[in-house]
mmCIF file of all heavy atoms in Angstrom:
data_model
loop_
_atom_site.group_PDB
_atom_site.id
_atom_site.type_symbol
_atom_site.label_atom_id
_atom_site.label_comp_id
_atom_site.label_asym_id
_atom_site.label_seq_id
_atom_site.Cartn_x
_atom_site.Cartn_y
_atom_site.Cartn_z
ATOM 1 N N MET A 556 -10.250 29.114 10.634
ATOM 2 C CA MET A 556 -9.011 29.556 10.185
ATOM 3 C C MET A 556 -8.288 28.525 9.218
ATOM 4 O O MET A 556 -8.336 27.317 9.435
ATOM 5 C CB MET A 556 -8.030 29.792 11.340
ATOM 6 C CG MET A 556 -8.599 30.634 12.496
ATOM 7 S SD MET A 556 -8.475 32.354 12.358
ATOM 8 C CE MET A 556 -6.665 32.594 12.580
ATOM 9 N N SER A 557 -7.704 29.084 8.120
ATOM 10 C CA SER A 557 -6.914 28.256 7.304
ATOM 11 C C SER A 557 -5.470 28.024 7.845
ATOM 12 O O SER A 557 -4.814 29.063 8.069
ATOM 13 C CB SER A 557 -6.817 28.874 5.912
ATOM 14 O OG SER A 557 -5.633 28.485 5.201
ATOM 15 N N LEU A 558 -5.127 26.826 8.085
ATOM 16 C CA LEU A 558 -3.769 26.621 8.737
ATOM 17 C C LEU A 558 -2.728 26.920 7.728
ATOM 18 O O LEU A 558 -1.553 27.404 8.127
ATOM 19 C CB LEU A 558 -3.582 25.173 9.134
ATOM 20 C CG LEU A 558 -4.215 24.965 10.512
ATOM 21 C CD1 LEU A 558 -5.698 24.896 10.585
ATOM 22 C CD2 LEU A 558 -3.573 23.688 11.253
ATOM 23 N N ASN A 559 -3.052 26.854 6.438
ATOM 24 C CA ASN A 559 -2.046 27.214 5.352
ATOM 25 C C ASN A 559 -1.845 28.767 5.470
ATOM 26 O O ASN A 559 -0.593 29.211 5.495
ATOM 27 C CB ASN A 559 -2.636 26.858 4.018
ATOM 28 C CG ASN A 559 -1.696 27.263 2.866
ATOM 29 O OD1 ASN A 559 -1.557 28.434 2.580
ATOM 30 N ND2 ASN A 559 -1.006 26.334 2.240
ATOM 31 N N LYS A 560 -2.831 29.424 5.570
ATOM 32 C CA LYS A 560 -2.673 30.961 5.690
ATOM 33 C C LYS A 560 -2.029 31.376 7.006
ATOM 34 O O LYS A 560 -1.216 32.300 7.027
ATOM 35 C CB LYS A 560 -4.051 31.713 5.699
ATOM 36 C CG LYS A 560 -4.526 31.815 4.243
ATOM 37 C CD LYS A 560 -5.754 32.718 4.142
ATOM 38 C CE LYS A 560 -6.309 32.734 2.850
ATOM 39 N NZ LYS A 560 -7.750 32.855 2.715
ATOM 40 N N MET A 561 -2.263 30.660 8.151
ATOM 41 C CA MET A 561 -1.634 30.851 9.402
ATOM 42 C C MET A 561 -0.157 30.656 9.318
ATOM 43 O O MET A 561 0.691 31.411 9.724
ATOM 44 C CB MET A 561 -2.218 30.077 10.472
ATOM 45 C CG MET A 561 -3.631 30.378 10.890
ATOM 46 S SD MET A 561 -4.323 29.353 12.085
ATOM 47 C CE MET A 561 -3.472 29.795 13.600
ATOM 48 N N TRP A 562 0.224 29.434 8.586
ATOM 49 C CA TRP A 562 1.597 29.138 8.595
ATOM 50 C C TRP A 562 2.336 30.139 7.713
ATOM 51 O O TRP A 562 3.491 30.537 7.968
ATOM 52 C CB TRP A 562 1.793 27.779 8.113
ATOM 53 C CG TRP A 562 3.162 27.186 8.031
ATOM 54 C CD1 TRP A 562 3.956 26.774 6.989
ATOM 55 C CD2 TRP A 562 4.080 27.052 9.185
ATOM 56 N NE1 TRP A 562 5.106 26.335 7.317
ATOM 57 C CE2 TRP A 562 5.251 26.540 8.670
ATOM 58 C CE3 TRP A 562 4.006 27.237 10.493
ATOM 59 C CZ2 TRP A 562 6.362 26.215 9.500
ATOM 60 C CZ3 TRP A 562 5.108 27.024 11.286
ATOM 61 C CH2 TRP A 562 6.200 26.542 10.848
ATOM 62 N N LEU A 563 1.720 30.562 6.625
ATOM 63 C CA LEU A 563 2.353 31.610 5.687
ATOM 64 C C LEU A 563 2.562 32.868 6.506
ATOM 65 O O LEU A 563 3.618 33.475 6.503
ATOM 66 C CB LEU A 563 1.408 31.827 4.542
ATOM 67 C CG LEU A 563 1.923 32.914 3.602
ATOM 68 C CD1 LEU A 563 3.146 32.422 2.854
ATOM 69 C CD2 LEU A 563 0.812 33.261 2.485
ATOM 70 N N ARG A 564 1.561 33.199 7.308
ATOM 71 C CA ARG A 564 1.686 34.456 8.181
ATOM 72 C C ARG A 564 2.942 34.303 9.144
ATOM 73 O O ARG A 564 3.592 35.210 9.428
ATOM 74 C CB ARG A 564 0.328 34.677 8.882
ATOM 75 C CG ARG A 564 0.219 35.974 9.670
ATOM 76 C CD ARG A 564 0.202 37.102 8.648
ATOM 77 N NE ARG A 564 0.093 38.397 9.248
ATOM 78 C CZ ARG A 564 0.963 39.154 9.853
ATOM 79 N NH1 ARG A 564 2.157 38.801 9.767
ATOM 80 N NH2 ARG A 564 0.746 40.306 10.409
ATOM 81 N N ARG A 565 2.910 33.109 9.683
ATOM 82 C CA ARG A 565 4.021 32.848 10.727
ATOM 83 C C ARG A 565 5.322 32.887 9.989
ATOM 84 O O ARG A 565 6.257 33.531 10.526
ATOM 85 C CB ARG A 565 3.749 31.534 11.334
ATOM 86 C CG ARG A 565 4.654 31.183 12.587
ATOM 87 C CD ARG A 565 5.811 30.406 12.224
ATOM 88 N NE ARG A 565 6.739 30.226 13.317
ATOM 89 C CZ ARG A 565 8.030 30.281 13.270
ATOM 90 N NH1 ARG A 565 8.689 30.506 12.025
ATOM 91 N NH2 ARG A 565 8.721 30.219 14.350
ATOM 92 N N GLN A 566 5.457 32.197 8.895
ATOM 93 C CA GLN A 566 6.782 32.155 8.301
ATOM 94 C C GLN A 566 7.139 33.516 7.741
ATOM 95 O O GLN A 566 8.444 33.911 7.809
ATOM 96 C CB GLN A 566 6.708 31.183 7.148
ATOM 97 C CG GLN A 566 6.659 29.692 7.614
ATOM 98 C CD GLN A 566 7.903 29.263 8.448
ATOM 99 O OE1 GLN A 566 7.921 29.601 9.607
ATOM 100 N NE2 GLN A 566 8.755 28.626 7.855
ATOM 101 N N THR A 567 6.236 34.254 7.124
ATOM 102 C CA THR A 567 6.609 35.582 6.614
ATOM 103 C C THR A 567 7.000 36.601 7.605
ATOM 104 O O THR A 567 7.730 37.409 7.478
ATOM 105 C CB THR A 567 5.557 36.164 5.660
ATOM 106 O OG1 THR A 567 4.309 36.083 6.457
ATOM 107 C CG2 THR A 567 5.286 35.474 4.325
ATOM 108 N N THR A 568 6.540 36.259 8.933
ATOM 109 C CA THR A 568 6.861 37.126 10.024
ATOM 110 C C THR A 568 8.213 36.835 10.682
ATOM 111 O O THR A 568 8.890 37.642 11.088
ATOM 112 C CB THR A 568 5.644 37.124 11.090
ATOM 113 O OG1 THR A 568 4.476 37.393 10.394
ATOM 114 C CG2 THR A 568 5.897 38.177 12.160
ATOM 115 N N LYS A 569 8.375 35.516 10.937
ATOM 116 C CA LYS A 569 9.520 35.018 11.716
ATOM 117 C C LYS A 569 10.687 34.454 10.942
ATOM 118 O O LYS A 569 11.606 34.074 11.609
ATOM 119 C CB LYS A 569 8.992 34.036 12.715
ATOM 120 C CG LYS A 569 7.967 34.606 13.730
ATOM 121 C CD LYS A 569 7.897 33.650 14.943
ATOM 122 C CE LYS A 569 6.865 34.060 15.886
ATOM 123 N NZ LYS A 569 6.807 33.096 17.021
ATOM 124 N N PHE A 570 10.514 34.373 9.663
ATOM 125 C CA PHE A 570 11.569 33.588 8.911
ATOM 126 C C PHE A 570 11.835 34.328 7.615
ATOM 127 O O PHE A 570 10.919 34.886 6.985
ATOM 128 C CB PHE A 570 10.991 32.162 8.587
ATOM 129 C CG PHE A 570 11.965 31.227 7.873
ATOM 130 C CD1 PHE A 570 13.200 30.939 8.512
ATOM 131 C CD2 PHE A 570 11.555 30.587 6.760
ATOM 132 C CE1 PHE A 570 14.003 29.984 7.865
ATOM 133 C CE2 PHE A 570 12.353 29.586 6.163
ATOM 134 C CZ PHE A 570 13.603 29.308 6.702
ATOM 135 N N ASN A 571 13.146 34.370 7.174
ATOM 136 C CA ASN A 571 13.483 35.074 6.044
ATOM 137 C C ASN A 571 13.750 34.112 4.859
ATOM 138 O O ASN A 571 14.463 34.555 3.838
ATOM 139 C CB ASN A 571 14.580 36.107 6.223
ATOM 140 C CG ASN A 571 14.071 37.494 6.221
ATOM 141 O OD1 ASN A 571 13.066 37.775 5.578
ATOM 142 N ND2 ASN A 571 14.850 38.367 6.840
ATOM 143 N N GLY A 572 13.494 32.889 5.007
ATOM 144 C CA GLY A 572 13.665 31.891 3.915
ATOM 145 C C GLY A 572 15.083 31.214 3.960
ATOM 146 O O GLY A 572 16.019 31.668 4.611
ATOM 147 N N VAL A 573 15.180 30.205 3.096
ATOM 148 C CA VAL A 573 16.432 29.426 3.029
ATOM 149 C C VAL A 573 17.198 30.091 1.899
ATOM 150 O O VAL A 573 16.704 30.557 1.010
ATOM 151 C CB VAL A 573 16.034 27.990 2.665
ATOM 152 C CG1 VAL A 573 17.206 27.186 2.291
ATOM 153 C CG2 VAL A 573 15.243 27.296 3.733
ATOM 154 N N PRO A 574 18.594 30.107 2.146
ATOM 155 C CA PRO A 574 19.384 30.846 1.142
ATOM 156 C C PRO A 574 19.165 30.367 -0.218
ATOM 157 O O PRO A 574 18.985 29.132 -0.460
ATOM 158 C CB PRO A 574 20.897 30.573 1.633
ATOM 159 C CG PRO A 574 20.693 30.267 3.056
ATOM 160 C CD PRO A 574 19.373 29.652 3.282
ATOM 161 N N TYR A 575 19.239 31.260 -1.273
ATOM 162 C CA TYR A 575 19.081 30.930 -2.619
ATOM 163 C C TYR A 575 19.998 29.763 -3.070
ATOM 164 O O TYR A 575 19.644 28.878 -3.733
ATOM 165 C CB TYR A 575 19.376 32.226 -3.431
ATOM 166 C CG TYR A 575 19.392 31.936 -4.938
ATOM 167 C CD1 TYR A 575 18.288 31.677 -5.619
ATOM 168 C CD2 TYR A 575 20.576 32.080 -5.631
ATOM 169 C CE1 TYR A 575 18.340 31.535 -7.012
ATOM 170 C CE2 TYR A 575 20.735 31.855 -6.979
ATOM 171 C CZ TYR A 575 19.509 31.567 -7.729
ATOM 172 O OH TYR A 575 19.590 31.315 -9.014
ATOM 173 N N ILE A 576 21.343 29.907 -2.621
ATOM 174 C CA ILE A 576 22.252 28.911 -3.013
ATOM 175 C C ILE A 576 21.794 27.460 -2.650
ATOM 176 O O ILE A 576 21.966 26.545 -3.357
ATOM 177 C CB ILE A 576 23.624 29.315 -2.374
ATOM 178 C CG1 ILE A 576 24.104 30.675 -3.008
ATOM 179 C CG2 ILE A 576 24.705 28.267 -2.622
ATOM 180 C CD1 ILE A 576 25.111 31.358 -2.104
ATOM 181 N N ILE A 577 21.352 27.462 -1.433
ATOM 182 C CA ILE A 577 20.889 26.094 -0.871
ATOM 183 C C ILE A 577 19.702 25.678 -1.577
ATOM 184 O O ILE A 577 19.557 24.474 -1.958
ATOM 185 C CB ILE A 577 20.596 26.253 0.671
ATOM 186 C CG1 ILE A 577 21.724 26.754 1.407
ATOM 187 C CG2 ILE A 577 20.201 24.872 1.211
ATOM 188 C CD1 ILE A 577 23.039 25.857 1.508
ATOM 189 N N GLN A 578 18.745 26.550 -1.910
ATOM 190 C CA GLN A 578 17.636 26.151 -2.601
ATOM 191 C C GLN A 578 17.862 25.658 -4.015
ATOM 192 O O GLN A 578 17.228 24.769 -4.487
ATOM 193 C CB GLN A 578 16.537 27.242 -2.651
ATOM 194 C CG GLN A 578 15.980 27.527 -1.246
ATOM 195 C CD GLN A 578 14.729 28.420 -1.374
ATOM 196 O OE1 GLN A 578 13.704 28.050 -2.024
ATOM 197 N NE2 GLN A 578 14.696 29.513 -0.719
#
Side-chain angles (χ1 to χ4, degrees):
M556 309 273 286
S557 150
L558 276 76
N559 178 287
K560 282 193 181 145
M561 289 175 74
W562 185 240
L563 179 66
R564 186 71 175 81
R565 191 264 173 217
Q566 291 297 80
T567 48
T568 306
K569 294 196 184 182
F570 185 54
N571 252 334
V573 173
Y575 172 71
I576 296 160
I577 304 294
Q578 291 195 58

